[in-house]
mmCIF file of all heavy atoms in Angstrom:
data_model
loop_
_atom_site.group_PDB
_atom_site.id
_atom_site.type_symbol
_atom_site.label_atom_id
_atom_site.label_comp_id
_atom_site.label_asym_id
_atom_site.label_seq_id
_atom_site.Cartn_x
_atom_site.Cartn_y
_atom_site.Cartn_z
ATOM 1 N N VAL O 17 -21.339 -1.364 -6.394
ATOM 2 C CA VAL O 17 -21.510 -1.262 -4.934
ATOM 3 C C VAL O 17 -21.369 -2.616 -4.249
ATOM 4 O O VAL O 17 -21.187 -2.690 -3.029
ATOM 5 C CB VAL O 17 -22.879 -0.644 -4.591
ATOM 6 C CG1 VAL O 17 -22.940 0.806 -5.051
ATOM 7 C CG2 VAL O 17 -24.020 -1.453 -5.208
ATOM 8 N N HIS O 18 -21.484 -3.689 -5.020
ATOM 9 C CA HIS O 18 -21.350 -5.021 -4.438
ATOM 10 C C HIS O 18 -19.894 -5.367 -4.119
ATOM 11 O O HIS O 18 -19.635 -6.347 -3.408
ATOM 12 C CB HIS O 18 -21.915 -6.070 -5.398
ATOM 13 C CG HIS O 18 -21.198 -6.130 -6.713
ATOM 14 N ND1 HIS O 18 -21.306 -5.129 -7.660
ATOM 15 C CD2 HIS O 18 -20.345 -7.061 -7.234
ATOM 16 C CE1 HIS O 18 -20.574 -5.441 -8.715
ATOM 17 N NE2 HIS O 18 -19.979 -6.603 -8.488
ATOM 18 N N LEU O 19 -18.950 -4.593 -4.635
ATOM 19 C CA LEU O 19 -17.539 -4.851 -4.375
ATOM 20 C C LEU O 19 -17.097 -4.127 -3.107
ATOM 21 O O LEU O 19 -17.564 -3.020 -2.821
ATOM 22 C CB LEU O 19 -16.673 -4.378 -5.544
ATOM 23 C CG LEU O 19 -16.939 -5.019 -6.908
ATOM 24 C CD1 LEU O 19 -16.045 -4.384 -7.962
ATOM 25 C CD2 LEU O 19 -16.728 -6.527 -6.852
ATOM 26 N N ASN O 20 -16.179 -4.747 -2.351
ATOM 27 C CA ASN O 20 -15.643 -4.056 -1.177
ATOM 28 C C ASN O 20 -14.556 -3.067 -1.612
ATOM 29 O O ASN O 20 -14.188 -3.009 -2.792
ATOM 30 C CB ASN O 20 -15.124 -5.050 -0.126
ATOM 31 C CG ASN O 20 -13.963 -5.895 -0.629
ATOM 32 O OD1 ASN O 20 -13.051 -5.396 -1.299
ATOM 33 N ND2 ASN O 20 -13.974 -7.183 -0.314
ATOM 34 N N VAL O 21 -14.036 -2.301 -0.662
ATOM 35 C CA VAL O 21 -13.079 -1.239 -0.972
ATOM 36 C C VAL O 21 -11.837 -1.802 -1.665
ATOM 37 O O VAL O 21 -11.365 -1.246 -2.668
ATOM 38 C CB VAL O 21 -12.671 -0.484 0.302
ATOM 39 C CG1 VAL O 21 -11.542 0.501 0.005
ATOM 40 C CG2 VAL O 21 -13.868 0.255 0.882
ATOM 41 N N PHE O 22 -11.312 -2.903 -1.161
ATOM 42 C CA PHE O 22 -10.086 -3.465 -1.731
ATOM 43 C C PHE O 22 -10.328 -3.975 -3.149
ATOM 44 O O PHE O 22 -9.454 -3.843 -4.017
ATOM 45 C CB PHE O 22 -9.561 -4.579 -0.834
ATOM 46 C CG PHE O 22 -9.137 -4.105 0.526
ATOM 47 C CD1 PHE O 22 -9.891 -4.410 1.640
ATOM 48 C CD2 PHE O 22 -8.001 -3.315 0.685
ATOM 49 C CE1 PHE O 22 -9.514 -3.958 2.899
ATOM 50 C CE2 PHE O 22 -7.623 -2.859 1.923
ATOM 51 C CZ PHE O 22 -8.383 -3.178 3.048
ATOM 52 N N GLU O 23 -11.494 -4.547 -3.378
ATOM 53 C CA GLU O 23 -11.812 -5.030 -4.721
ATOM 54 C C GLU O 23 -11.950 -3.864 -5.699
ATOM 55 O O GLU O 23 -11.533 -3.959 -6.854
ATOM 56 C CB GLU O 23 -13.096 -5.856 -4.673
ATOM 57 C CG GLU O 23 -12.915 -7.198 -3.976
ATOM 58 C CD GLU O 23 -14.221 -7.901 -3.682
ATOM 59 O OE1 GLU O 23 -15.266 -7.211 -3.602
ATOM 60 O OE2 GLU O 23 -14.210 -9.142 -3.525
ATOM 61 N N ARG O 24 -12.505 -2.756 -5.242
ATOM 62 C CA ARG O 24 -12.619 -1.569 -6.103
ATOM 63 C C ARG O 24 -11.247 -0.976 -6.406
ATOM 64 O O ARG O 24 -10.978 -0.562 -7.537
ATOM 65 C CB ARG O 24 -13.503 -0.522 -5.422
ATOM 66 C CG ARG O 24 -14.941 -0.954 -5.240
ATOM 67 C CD ARG O 24 -15.726 0.097 -4.455
ATOM 68 N NE ARG O 24 -16.959 -0.470 -3.924
ATOM 69 C CZ ARG O 24 -17.803 0.187 -3.141
ATOM 70 N NH1 ARG O 24 -17.545 1.441 -2.806
ATOM 71 N NH2 ARG O 24 -18.901 -0.394 -2.696
ATOM 72 N N LEU O 25 -10.377 -0.930 -5.382
ATOM 73 C CA LEU O 25 -9.012 -0.434 -5.604
ATOM 74 C C LEU O 25 -8.278 -1.312 -6.612
ATOM 75 O O LEU O 25 -7.564 -0.818 -7.492
ATOM 76 C CB LEU O 25 -8.253 -0.397 -4.275
ATOM 77 C CG LEU O 25 -8.694 0.657 -3.261
ATOM 78 C CD1 LEU O 25 -8.034 0.394 -1.906
ATOM 79 C CD2 LEU O 25 -8.341 2.059 -3.742
ATOM 80 N N TRP O 26 -8.462 -2.611 -6.471
ATOM 81 C CA TRP O 26 -7.822 -3.588 -7.362
ATOM 82 C C TRP O 26 -8.306 -3.397 -8.803
ATOM 83 O O TRP O 26 -7.499 -3.263 -9.728
ATOM 84 C CB TRP O 26 -8.147 -4.985 -6.857
ATOM 85 C CG TRP O 26 -7.563 -6.116 -7.650
ATOM 86 C CD1 TRP O 26 -8.038 -6.629 -8.827
ATOM 87 C CD2 TRP O 26 -6.411 -6.897 -7.323
ATOM 88 N NE1 TRP O 26 -7.270 -7.679 -9.248
ATOM 89 C CE2 TRP O 26 -6.260 -7.869 -8.345
ATOM 90 C CE3 TRP O 26 -5.511 -6.890 -6.261
ATOM 91 C CZ2 TRP O 26 -5.239 -8.806 -8.326
ATOM 92 C CZ3 TRP O 26 -4.493 -7.831 -6.254
ATOM 93 C CH2 TRP O 26 -4.357 -8.768 -7.267
ATOM 94 N N ALA O 27 -9.631 -3.374 -8.999
ATOM 95 C CA ALA O 27 -10.197 -3.229 -10.337
ATOM 96 C C ALA O 27 -9.826 -1.883 -10.955
ATOM 97 O O ALA O 27 -9.568 -1.789 -12.164
ATOM 98 C CB ALA O 27 -11.717 -3.391 -10.274
ATOM 99 N N SER O 28 -9.770 -0.853 -10.117
ATOM 100 C CA SER O 28 -9.420 0.485 -10.619
ATOM 101 C C SER O 28 -7.985 0.531 -11.118
ATOM 102 O O SER O 28 -7.669 1.221 -12.083
ATOM 103 C CB SER O 28 -9.622 1.527 -9.508
ATOM 104 O OG SER O 28 -10.973 1.574 -9.102
ATOM 105 N N TRP O 29 -7.088 -0.210 -10.456
ATOM 106 C CA TRP O 29 -5.686 -0.244 -10.875
ATOM 107 C C TRP O 29 -5.550 -0.833 -12.278
ATOM 108 O O TRP O 29 -4.870 -0.273 -13.141
ATOM 109 C CB TRP O 29 -4.866 -1.042 -9.868
ATOM 110 C CG TRP O 29 -3.487 -1.408 -10.345
ATOM 111 C CD1 TRP O 29 -3.032 -2.644 -10.668
ATOM 112 C CD2 TRP O 29 -2.381 -0.514 -10.550
ATOM 113 N NE1 TRP O 29 -1.714 -2.598 -11.064
ATOM 114 C CE2 TRP O 29 -1.292 -1.295 -11.004
ATOM 115 C CE3 TRP O 29 -2.211 0.858 -10.404
ATOM 116 C CZ2 TRP O 29 -0.049 -0.754 -11.313
ATOM 117 C CZ3 TRP O 29 -0.963 1.403 -10.712
ATOM 118 C CH2 TRP O 29 0.084 0.602 -11.147
ATOM 119 N N TYR O 30 -6.228 -1.953 -12.498
ATOM 120 C CA TYR O 30 -6.152 -2.582 -13.819
ATOM 121 C C TYR O 30 -6.814 -1.714 -14.889
ATOM 122 O O TYR O 30 -6.336 -1.622 -16.024
ATOM 123 C CB TYR O 30 -6.791 -3.974 -13.779
ATOM 124 C CG TYR O 30 -5.865 -5.033 -13.245
ATOM 125 C CD1 TYR O 30 -5.889 -5.406 -11.899
ATOM 126 C CD2 TYR O 30 -4.948 -5.665 -14.084
ATOM 127 C CE1 TYR O 30 -5.037 -6.377 -11.412
ATOM 128 C CE2 TYR O 30 -4.085 -6.647 -13.608
ATOM 129 C CZ TYR O 30 -4.130 -6.994 -12.260
ATOM 130 O OH TYR O 30 -3.280 -7.949 -11.777
ATOM 131 N N ALA O 31 -7.941 -1.050 -14.517
ATOM 132 C CA ALA O 31 -8.609 -0.173 -15.478
ATOM 133 C C ALA O 31 -7.744 1.042 -15.800
ATOM 134 O O ALA O 31 -7.691 1.489 -16.945
ATOM 135 C CB ALA O 31 -9.954 0.277 -14.903
ATOM 136 N N TYR O 32 -7.061 1.554 -14.793
ATOM 137 C CA TYR O 32 -6.193 2.716 -14.988
ATOM 138 C C TYR O 32 -5.001 2.374 -15.882
ATOM 139 O O TYR O 32 -4.636 3.140 -16.780
ATOM 140 C CB TYR O 32 -5.708 3.221 -13.640
ATOM 141 C CG TYR O 32 -4.649 4.298 -13.725
ATOM 142 C CD1 TYR O 32 -4.968 5.582 -14.166
ATOM 143 C CD2 TYR O 32 -3.325 4.023 -13.370
ATOM 144 C CE1 TYR O 32 -3.997 6.566 -14.258
ATOM 145 C CE2 TYR O 32 -2.345 5.003 -13.454
ATOM 146 C CZ TYR O 32 -2.682 6.277 -13.895
ATOM 147 O OH TYR O 32 -1.719 7.244 -13.992
ATOM 148 N N MET O 33 -4.396 1.209 -15.672
ATOM 149 C CA MET O 33 -3.214 0.819 -16.439
ATOM 150 C C MET O 33 -3.550 0.476 -17.889
ATOM 151 O O MET O 33 -2.749 0.693 -18.793
ATOM 152 C CB MET O 33 -2.521 -0.377 -15.779
ATOM 153 C CG MET O 33 -1.876 -0.066 -14.432
ATOM 154 S SD MET O 33 -0.616 1.215 -14.541
ATOM 155 C CE MET O 33 0.571 0.447 -15.627
ATOM 156 N N GLN O 34 -4.741 -0.101 -18.107
ATOM 157 C CA GLN O 34 -5.163 -0.489 -19.456
ATOM 158 C C GLN O 34 -4.223 -1.508 -20.106
ATOM 159 O O GLN O 34 -4.169 -1.634 -21.329
ATOM 160 C CB GLN O 34 -5.289 0.749 -20.358
ATOM 161 C CG GLN O 34 -6.504 1.605 -20.051
ATOM 162 C CD GLN O 34 -7.802 0.901 -20.381
ATOM 163 O OE1 GLN O 34 -8.066 0.547 -21.527
ATOM 164 N NE2 GLN O 34 -8.626 0.668 -19.368
ATOM 165 N N ASN O 35 -3.446 -2.172 -19.279
ATOM 166 C CA ASN O 35 -2.523 -3.209 -19.761
ATOM 167 C C ASN O 35 -2.315 -4.180 -18.608
ATOM 168 O O ASN O 35 -1.597 -3.875 -17.665
ATOM 169 C CB ASN O 35 -1.193 -2.590 -20.202
ATOM 170 C CG ASN O 35 -0.234 -3.614 -20.794
ATOM 171 O OD1 ASN O 35 -0.089 -4.716 -20.274
ATOM 172 N ND2 ASN O 35 0.423 -3.246 -21.875
ATOM 173 N N ASP O 36 -2.968 -5.332 -18.677
ATOM 174 C CA ASP O 36 -2.939 -6.277 -17.560
ATOM 175 C C ASP O 36 -1.542 -6.805 -17.260
ATOM 176 O O ASP O 36 -1.182 -7.025 -16.110
ATOM 177 C CB ASP O 36 -3.886 -7.447 -17.830
ATOM 178 C CG ASP O 36 -5.345 -7.045 -17.678
ATOM 179 O OD1 ASP O 36 -5.605 -5.857 -17.370
ATOM 180 O OD2 ASP O 36 -6.226 -7.908 -17.853
ATOM 181 N N VAL O 37 -0.754 -7.028 -18.319
ATOM 182 C CA VAL O 37 0.610 -7.529 -18.120
ATOM 183 C C VAL O 37 1.444 -6.504 -17.348
ATOM 184 O O VAL O 37 2.149 -6.838 -16.396
ATOM 185 C CB VAL O 37 1.275 -7.856 -19.470
ATOM 186 C CG1 VAL O 37 2.736 -8.246 -19.260
ATOM 187 C CG2 VAL O 37 0.520 -8.973 -20.182
ATOM 188 N N LEU O 38 1.341 -5.253 -17.757
ATOM 189 C CA LEU O 38 2.072 -4.184 -17.081
ATOM 190 C C LEU O 38 1.557 -3.973 -15.666
ATOM 191 O O LEU O 38 2.337 -3.795 -14.726
ATOM 192 C CB LEU O 38 1.939 -2.886 -17.882
ATOM 193 C CG LEU O 38 2.894 -1.739 -17.541
ATOM 194 C CD1 LEU O 38 4.344 -2.162 -17.767
ATOM 195 C CD2 LEU O 38 2.565 -0.508 -18.380
ATOM 196 N N ALA O 39 0.235 -4.016 -15.505
ATOM 197 C CA ALA O 39 -0.362 -3.803 -14.185
ATOM 198 C C ALA O 39 0.083 -4.875 -13.198
ATOM 199 O O ALA O 39 0.479 -4.576 -12.065
ATOM 200 C CB ALA O 39 -1.888 -3.793 -14.296
ATOM 201 N N THR O 40 0.029 -6.123 -13.618
ATOM 202 C CA THR O 40 0.451 -7.227 -12.748
ATOM 203 C C THR O 40 1.947 -7.177 -12.503
ATOM 204 O O THR O 40 2.410 -7.397 -11.373
ATOM 205 C CB THR O 40 0.077 -8.584 -13.368
ATOM 206 O OG1 THR O 40 -1.345 -8.648 -13.534
ATOM 207 C CG2 THR O 40 0.525 -9.739 -12.477
ATOM 208 N N GLY O 41 2.719 -6.872 -13.539
ATOM 209 C CA GLY O 41 4.176 -6.830 -13.394
ATOM 210 C C GLY O 41 4.627 -5.775 -12.404
ATOM 211 O O GLY O 41 5.436 -6.059 -11.512
ATOM 212 N N ILE O 42 4.112 -4.561 -12.531
ATOM 213 C CA ILE O 42 4.490 -3.483 -11.609
ATOM 214 C C ILE O 42 4.059 -3.827 -10.193
ATOM 215 O O ILE O 42 4.835 -3.691 -9.237
ATOM 216 C CB ILE O 42 3.864 -2.146 -12.061
ATOM 217 C CG1 ILE O 42 4.497 -1.690 -13.368
ATOM 218 C CG2 ILE O 42 4.034 -1.078 -10.982
ATOM 219 C CD1 ILE O 42 3.846 -0.455 -13.970
ATOM 220 N N MET O 43 2.815 -4.277 -10.029
ATOM 221 C CA MET O 43 2.306 -4.600 -8.703
ATOM 222 C C MET O 43 3.106 -5.722 -8.049
ATOM 223 O O MET O 43 3.432 -5.665 -6.867
ATOM 224 C CB MET O 43 0.825 -4.993 -8.799
ATOM 225 C CG MET O 43 0.138 -5.188 -7.471
ATOM 226 S SD MET O 43 -1.682 -5.101 -7.600
ATOM 227 C CE MET O 43 -2.013 -6.293 -8.916
ATOM 228 N N SER O 44 3.452 -6.725 -8.826
ATOM 229 C CA SER O 44 4.200 -7.870 -8.291
ATOM 230 C C SER O 44 5.599 -7.468 -7.840
ATOM 231 O O SER O 44 6.043 -7.828 -6.749
ATOM 232 C CB SER O 44 4.296 -8.980 -9.344
ATOM 233 O OG SER O 44 3.019 -9.422 -9.737
ATOM 234 N N PHE O 45 6.302 -6.720 -8.692
ATOM 235 C CA PHE O 45 7.677 -6.355 -8.373
ATOM 236 C C PHE O 45 7.740 -5.382 -7.196
ATOM 237 O O PHE O 45 8.565 -5.558 -6.287
ATOM 238 C CB PHE O 45 8.368 -5.744 -9.587
ATOM 239 C CG PHE O 45 9.842 -5.501 -9.392
ATOM 240 C CD1 PHE O 45 10.724 -6.565 -9.317
ATOM 241 C CD2 PHE O 45 10.339 -4.212 -9.266
ATOM 242 C CE1 PHE O 45 12.091 -6.355 -9.129
ATOM 243 C CE2 PHE O 45 11.696 -3.999 -9.073
ATOM 244 C CZ PHE O 45 12.575 -5.062 -9.001
ATOM 245 N N VAL O 46 6.875 -4.377 -7.200
ATOM 246 C CA VAL O 46 6.857 -3.412 -6.096
ATOM 247 C C VAL O 46 6.506 -4.107 -4.787
ATOM 248 O O VAL O 46 7.120 -3.851 -3.750
ATOM 249 C CB VAL O 46 5.867 -2.264 -6.385
ATOM 250 C CG1 VAL O 46 5.673 -1.389 -5.147
ATOM 251 C CG2 VAL O 46 6.366 -1.414 -7.551
ATOM 252 N N MET O 47 5.521 -5.003 -4.845
ATOM 253 C CA MET O 47 5.144 -5.744 -3.639
ATOM 254 C C MET O 47 6.324 -6.534 -3.080
ATOM 255 O O MET O 47 6.613 -6.504 -1.882
ATOM 256 C CB MET O 47 3.999 -6.699 -3.947
ATOM 257 C CG MET O 47 3.571 -7.558 -2.760
ATOM 258 S SD MET O 47 2.771 -9.102 -3.245
ATOM 259 C CE MET O 47 4.155 -10.060 -3.907
ATOM 260 N N HIS O 48 7.032 -7.227 -3.974
ATOM 261 C CA HIS O 48 8.165 -8.043 -3.536
ATOM 262 C C HIS O 48 9.253 -7.195 -2.893
ATOM 263 O O HIS O 48 9.779 -7.533 -1.831
ATOM 264 C CB HIS O 48 8.734 -8.816 -4.729
ATOM 265 C CG HIS O 48 9.855 -9.734 -4.361
ATOM 266 N ND1 HIS O 48 11.173 -9.317 -4.328
ATOM 267 C CD2 HIS O 48 9.861 -11.043 -3.986
ATOM 268 C CE1 HIS O 48 11.937 -10.321 -3.960
ATOM 269 N NE2 HIS O 48 11.174 -11.385 -3.743
ATOM 270 N N GLU O 49 9.591 -6.065 -3.516
ATOM 271 C CA GLU O 49 10.667 -5.224 -2.985
ATOM 272 C C GLU O 49 10.271 -4.577 -1.654
ATOM 273 O O GLU O 49 11.066 -4.542 -0.708
ATOM 274 C CB GLU O 49 11.035 -4.134 -4.000
ATOM 275 C CG GLU O 49 11.566 -4.667 -5.314
ATOM 276 C CD GLU O 49 12.684 -5.682 -5.130
ATOM 277 O OE1 GLU O 49 13.790 -5.275 -4.731
ATOM 278 O OE2 GLU O 49 12.455 -6.881 -5.375
ATOM 279 N N VAL O 50 9.046 -4.080 -1.582
ATOM 280 C CA VAL O 50 8.586 -3.424 -0.354
ATOM 281 C C VAL O 50 8.547 -4.419 0.800
ATOM 282 O O VAL O 50 9.001 -4.122 1.912
ATOM 283 C CB VAL O 50 7.195 -2.786 -0.568
ATOM 284 C CG1 VAL O 50 6.584 -2.345 0.772
ATOM 285 C CG2 VAL O 50 7.296 -1.595 -1.513
ATOM 286 N N VAL O 51 8.021 -5.610 0.535
ATOM 287 C CA VAL O 51 7.923 -6.619 1.594
ATOM 288 C C VAL O 51 9.300 -7.125 1.996
ATOM 289 O O VAL O 51 9.610 -7.234 3.193
ATOM 290 C CB VAL O 51 7.025 -7.796 1.153
ATOM 291 C CG1 VAL O 51 7.076 -8.928 2.180
ATOM 292 C CG2 VAL O 51 5.587 -7.323 0.973
ATOM 293 N N TYR O 52 10.141 -7.416 1.001
ATOM 294 C CA TYR O 52 11.453 -7.993 1.320
ATOM 295 C C TYR O 52 12.302 -7.038 2.158
ATOM 296 O O TYR O 52 12.801 -7.398 3.234
ATOM 297 C CB TYR O 52 12.197 -8.368 0.040
ATOM 298 C CG TYR O 52 13.482 -9.132 0.309
ATOM 299 C CD1 TYR O 52 13.449 -10.496 0.548
ATOM 300 C CD2 TYR O 52 14.714 -8.482 0.360
ATOM 301 C CE1 TYR O 52 14.612 -11.205 0.818
ATOM 302 C CE2 TYR O 52 15.881 -9.175 0.630
ATOM 303 C CZ TYR O 52 15.820 -10.527 0.857
ATOM 304 O OH TYR O 52 16.974 -11.217 1.147
ATOM 305 N N PHE O 53 12.477 -5.818 1.669
ATOM 306 C CA PHE O 53 13.330 -4.876 2.390
ATOM 307 C C PHE O 53 12.603 -4.270 3.592
ATOM 308 O O PHE O 53 13.235 -3.940 4.605
ATOM 309 C CB PHE O 53 13.844 -3.794 1.446
ATOM 310 C CG PHE O 53 14.838 -4.319 0.452
ATOM 311 C CD1 PHE O 53 14.467 -4.564 -0.863
ATOM 312 C CD2 PHE O 53 16.144 -4.590 0.827
ATOM 313 C CE1 PHE O 53 15.375 -5.074 -1.782
ATOM 314 C CE2 PHE O 53 17.068 -5.093 -0.082
ATOM 315 C CZ PHE O 53 16.683 -5.342 -1.393
#
């Protein structure tokens, strides 16, 4: 409960993926493409 909504969403993503390298890689690439285009 001490975490804010964004922090919970963030932690849940990494817990869901169960692979930090994959979680960061997907998030980074999708972020770049969505923002750029």
Side-chain angles (χ1 to χ4, degrees):
V17 294
H18 62 289
L19 300 177
N20 63 42
V21 173
F22 296 108
E23 289 169 337
R24 295 175 197 176
L25 290 169
W26 180 280
S28 298
W29 167 250
Y30 278 95
Y32 172 71
M33 292 300 298
Q34 287 293 299
N35 184 317
D36 286 0
V37 175
L38 194 61
T40 300
I42 292 174
M43 187 161 52
S44 301
F45 187 70
V46 171
M47 178 205 71
H48 183 272
E49 298 310 289
V50 169
V51 172
Y52 187 82
F53 290 103

